[in-house]
Amino acid sequence: MAERQNIFDRDVDRAWRAFRAHLADHVAAMHDDDGLVLEPLAEESGGPAGPCVQFYAWGDGQVRCEVPSNTHLADDRRLQPGDEALLQELGWQPPSRGPEDPEDTGSPAFWLDRPSSWADQLADIAVTVLRRIWGVPHPLFLRSETFGADHTPVFEPPTPSIEERTRKSAVALAVEPTGEEHIRELIEATMQDRIGESPTWDEDGDLVLRVGGVLLFVGVGPGGTTVDLFAPVVHSITGRTRAAEVVADLNRRWPHLKFVLVDDRVAVVNHLAAIPFVPAHLLAALDRLAAFLEDLDPQFATHLGGVLLRESENPDMSDPFDEPEWTPDVEDDLPPALLALRDHHLEGSSGVPVRTVAAIGEWEPARLQQFLDLSTEQQIGWTSESLDRAVAGDDDGVFEADSKALEWELTIRSLTKALEYMERSTDGPSRRASSPRPAVGEQPALFDNPDEPTLFDGSGE
């Protein structure tokens, strides 16, 4: 099954590689005053510019590449701190003037200047931004606009090869299914066309894929009226109010997906009409889900206050929410350093300095994250234990379990604050910060003058 999903991933990666090569050729051929804009196909810009990547040729063989800053973006498409950090890691210079500054005093966008001979690098960086920041699942979901002095041809994304067109034409445009079993046959035929062989169904009647280490289920909805895609991503969430706010933000940022909070778990779902059944709709939905799932990391779960659900937790494709039975004596097997941190919160004590927490975790974010995951499991376990003891009429036991749950809840808060502190601070005595990427070869220096033409000048009127 993993091999079949690898084929699915490789199909998307192959399309992006072809797009990147075509984009590099176009950028290399650009002349002064030529421009190119790439933006998500379904994007409805709510700001002066909207999500995009732009190229502008100027300065005798130089090409400027730009990504809009939050000044130009609607609230639901604003760059998050992690997005801005990724841009700067990739080499983008931050905006050097604000919305109220004169247009000749700097650049209002993230910008990057390179000679046109570095077109391969520019294309590679642009594709990274399109996929990881703007969430474009496939080059087919891009819109392009070429402008300038007509020195270079209009940019047109690569079209499928003859072999691909022949293969895709074998799938019907739309089918009226005769029942639920027929819908499953259509789903299977569509996936077989995409991954090259017949997929396998689980005992619940769902097709199971693996994307980015996460299980993705494809099945038929109640009554046979929908095709349902379901991927559980986070479990053991401790703060539902905070998680609900994050889920609402995710639904704004990914308008073609639906994030749901059920009890202490978050899943991403998509419901497609099954009557008629349209294979292209299913494939497009899978591409969008894959684009999201492939970028999941533990930090995403931390933001929700839970634990990331990875495929490795379910090697036999069992129920993805089945967890090992928790018992109070599990606490005895926890790392001594974590128990020492927990002891700082005995009897409801709080206010442990973040540097103390970071030091207990040896200033290692990965170790603190491990402690956070274990603490979350303990807090959930003791909360459930309290309910069980209440049902049994054990009032003393309820008090003990509630006290334990509170200790672990306070420990979770301390660990979360320490992780956030380490993200924005580098003054720890032994913190192991990521080293910047080394320069490759004799790369020409960047222009250090952001006062030159920018595609965003005048767009904020």
Side-chain angles (χ1 to χ4, degrees), residues 41-55:
L41 183 62
E43 195 67 46
E44 294 182 2
S45 174
C52 64
V53 177
Q54 309 193 78
F55 299 86

Side-chain angles (χ1 to χ4, degrees), residues 1-2 208-210 213-215 217 309-324:
M1 190 67 192
V208 185
L209 303 172
R210 293 176 173 87
V214 177
L215 295 180
F217 298 83
L309 188 57
R310 288 291 194 186
E311 171 196 346
S312 57
E313 300 178 32
N314 301 278
D316 299 324
M317 291 194 301
S318 57
D319 184 342
F321 284 154
D322 276 350
E323 301 172 17

Side-chain angles (χ1 to χ4, degrees), residues 33-78:
D33 299 326
D34 286 342
L36 172 65
V37 182
L38 301 172
E39 58 183 345
L41 183 62
E43 195 67 46
E44 294 182 2
S45 174
C52 64
V53 177
Q54 309 193 78
F55 299 86
Y56 183 71
W58 65 287
D60 192 20
Q62 299 293 327
V63 176
R64 168 160 293 186
C65 194
E66 294 180 318
V67 170
S69 64
N70 286 336
T71 301
H72 305 277
L73 297 170
D75 290 342
D76 62 343
R77 293 299 265 149
R78 291 175 64 85

Side-chain angles (χ1 to χ4, degrees), residues 68-229:
S69 64
N70 286 336
T71 301
H72 305 277
L73 297 170
D75 290 342
D76 62 343
R77 293 299 265 149
R78 291 175 64 85
L79 296 170
Q80 302 301 304
D83 299 330
E84 295 179 336
L86 175 60
L87 286 172
Q88 296 190 55
E89 179 185 351
L90 293 171
W92 301 81
Q93 301 297 312
S96 54
R97 70 170 167 88
E100 305 301 326
D101 296 333
E103 290 190 359
D104 59 351
T105 60
S107 173
F110 286 87
W111 59 278
L112 178 64
D113 285 331
R114 288 289 190 273
S116 58
S117 58
W118 286 73
D120 285 335
Q121 184 196 58
L122 283 174
D124 187 66
I125 292 174
V127 167
T128 299
V129 172
L130 291 169
R131 298 186 72 177
R132 296 182 58 182
I133 293 181
W134 299 138
V136 180
H138 192 284
L140 294 175
F141 292 88
L142 281 174
R143 176 192 296 113
S144 65
E145 178 185 353
T146 309
F147 61 92
D150 297 328
H151 291 143
T152 53
V154 173
F155 179 81
E156 295 180 355
T159 56
S161 65
I162 294 177
E163 178 183 352
E164 290 174 321
R165 289 197 299 268
T166 302
R167 178 168 56 87
K168 290 180 180 180
S169 65
V171 180
L173 295 178
V175 178
E176 289 288 340
T178 58
E180 292 188 24
E181 197 57 39
H182 187 199
I183 296 174
R184 290 189 175 88
E185 292 174 2
L186 294 170
I187 293 173
E188 180 173 334
T190 302
M191 293 308 305
Q192 181 175 3
D193 179 72
R194 167 57 68 90
I195 65 180
E197 53 186 288
S198 181
T200 302
W201 297 81
D202 67 8
E203 59 185 14
D204 296 323
D206 294 325
L207 184 154
V208 185
L209 303 172
R210 293 176 173 87
V211 181
V214 177
L215 295 180
L216 169 59
F217 298 83
V218 183
V220 181
T225 59
T226 60
V227 175
D228 296 342
L229 289 78

